[in-house]
Amino acid sequence: MMQESPLTVRPARLADVASLVELRLSNAQAHLVLDAAIYRVPQRDAVVRHFTAMLTDEAGQDGVLVAEARDGQVVGMVEVLRHSDPPEHQILRPEPSAQVHTVVLSDARGLGVGSALLAAAERWASGRGITYLSAGIHHRNVDAVRFYSRHGYTDAGLSLGKRVD
């Protein structure tokens, strides 16, 4: 007899906006610890507007999936945000690509939630012709680097920057 899965990954719905907002805000708090000079906690109403717009966009260019525990609680999410193709005058080849952002409640980590979300995001992207996913990870976020590395994400280059105040 097969055991019922304690987790369902599904497309987010408008009814999930409150949970998505809490996930985003708790993730922001965690990132402040990594580097308060570059991260912030966004205004709640801005996050509500963002997810409401995503979930009512009929074009569905971007996606958000949630992991729901058996009791109905949303314990994680993944956003798939499509990149624009480079303009014709640039040297980069166009490739349908997107960035993934995975967030799991702290008490649900280590239970396979992130892995289930990432696998679902990859299926979602592939089904829409996206052939390359990236995850922008802060170098101090060793848990996230380890997580994505375990799932086949590799160092895709170096991003250099300079503040010009």
Side-chain angles (χ1 to χ4, degrees):
M1 185 171 183
M2 190 181 268
Q3 186 178 21
E4 182 185 348
S5 173
L7 188 68
T8 301
V9 176
R10 59 170 175 76
R13 302 183 286 251
L14 278 174
D16 298 316
V17 167
S19 296
L20 296 170
V21 169
E22 293 310 316
L23 283 162
R24 169 64 45 83
L25 294 177
S26 69
N27 191 44
Q29 289 290 342
H31 279 74
L32 282 178
V33 174
L34 294 173
D35 193 336
I38 63 171
Y39 292 109
R40 65 181 174 158
V41 176
Q43 295 294 314
R44 180 178 295 274
D45 61 334
V47 181
V48 169
R49 285 192 307 274
H50 165 72
F51 284 117
T52 300
M54 274 189 82
L55 298 177
T56 56
D57 176 18
E58 292 181 18
Q61 292 297 305
D62 298 323
V64 60
L65 306 169
V66 296
E68 183 178 75
R70 191 177 300 152
D71 65 3
Q73 179 187 12
V74 172
V75 295
M77 71 163 181
V78 62
E79 284 180 279
V80 183
L81 306 172
R82 192 180 299 259
H83 292 142
S84 298
D85 282 340
E88 289 183 11
H89 64 82
Q90 288 190 352
I91 64 174
L92 289 173
R93 291 178 180 261
E95 179 177 18
S97 63
Q99 188 164 33
V100 292
H101 301 278
T102 309
V103 182
V104 176
L105 290 177
S106 58
D107 58 349
R109 291 192 182 140
L111 303 175
V113 174
S115 295
L117 283 165
L118 193 55
E122 291 171 359
R123 288 190 301 273
W124 185 93
S126 178
R128 284 155 182 81
I130 296 169
T131 59
Y132 183 82
L133 292 177
S134 61
I137 306 299
H138 192 285
H139 64 94
R140 289 188 205 131
N141 194 345
V142 294
D143 291 337
V145 171
R146 190 177 310 119
F147 168 77
Y148 283 103
S149 295
R150 255 192 349 258
H151 290 88
Y153 289 69
T154 60
D155 186 345
L158 183 61
S159 176
L160 301 175
K162 176 182 177 183
R163 191 163 309 280
V164 292
D165 300 348

